[in-house]
Amino acid sequence: TLFRSMRALSAQDSAPAAVIVPARAYVRPALPILTFHDDRGEVIRYGHRWPDGIAPEESYSQESHPERFAPLSLVVDALVEHLSREYAVETRREPGEDGTERIVLAPARGAQITITPAVPSVCVEAGALFHAIVPSCICDACDETAETAADELERIVLSIAAGGFREEYPVGRRAWLYTEVRSPDGERRESSSGPLPEL
């Protein structure tokens, strides 16, 4: 069954034979401190809005100040510069379908990474089918900040560059996609999507 197949993939020791971490570590650029106000003129404390962990029901349908993620463009530039300097990779910029610019990082070995920066989200594609949007949700309930989104963006891109990326397709008769991203420190995140019979 699909469940057994996914469990078997998850149980495999998928640690890369060699983690490729450059001598010079990536350094995040200083992100500007942006201040945003609510309708009453009070400063919104993004990342700390719901101290009890419970967001109001109406906050799930609100997306206030998506421009708070604009500093992610600085993180994209820093990641591209770091990878271009530290890895054997060809970097090229291409026009995207919707007028945005795509940055393609094609390594001598390993998974190609394509980064499409836009506000409020950055799209990361890798390998054959991997696709991630960072931040994955900008609703007020999720209470994401540019810093937490940068954490996730850096984790994904640097993990793939270090060799910690795996995808399996098709899985099971219904043709699901299994993806794993493993950080150099061993943190492992798995996802599955599907069915994708059109592929």
Side-chain angles (χ1 to χ4, degrees), residues 127-155:
L129 299 170
F130 177 75
H131 180 92
I133 302 291
V134 179
S136 59
C137 181
I138 62 169
C139 80
D140 288 3
C142 289
D143 199 26
E144 283 267 21
T145 66
E147 289 77 14
T148 58
D151 290 341
E152 180 66 1
L153 179 61
E154 291 163 350
R155 183 194 70 79

Side-chain angles (χ1 to χ4, degrees), residues 15 17 24 28 46 54 59 69 91 127 131 133 156 168 178 194:
R24 285 184 290 188
R28 178 185 295 173
Y46 283 111
I54 301 171
S59 66
F69 297 107
T91 304
H131 180 92
I133 302 291
I156 291 170
E168 298 276 342
Y178 171 86

Side-chain angles (χ1 to χ4, degrees), residues 32-110:
I33 298 171
L34 305 176
T35 303
F36 300 98
H37 299 85
D38 63 18
D39 295 337
R40 297 184 306 254
E42 295 182 23
V43 173
I44 301 172
R45 297 180 62 236
Y46 283 111
H48 306 283
R49 298 185 75 187
W50 323 120
D52 59 0
I54 301 171
E57 189 65 36
E58 66 273 9
S59 66
Y60 288 90
S61 59
Q62 296 173 347
E63 296 178 351
S64 63
H65 302 292
E67 67 274 18
R68 71 186 185 271
F69 297 107
L72 286 179
S73 64
L74 300 173
V75 177
V76 169
D77 291 342
L79 283 166
V80 170
E81 180 184 339
H82 172 75
L83 297 179
S84 298
R85 183 183 64 235
E86 300 297 327
Y87 289 87
V89 63
E90 174 195 335
T91 304
R92 62 183 186 275
R93 294 175 183 266
E94 303 174 344
E97 295 175 5
D98 56 358
T100 57
E101 181 182 63
R102 299 164 23 114
I103 304 163
V104 179
L105 298 149
R109 286 179 44 196

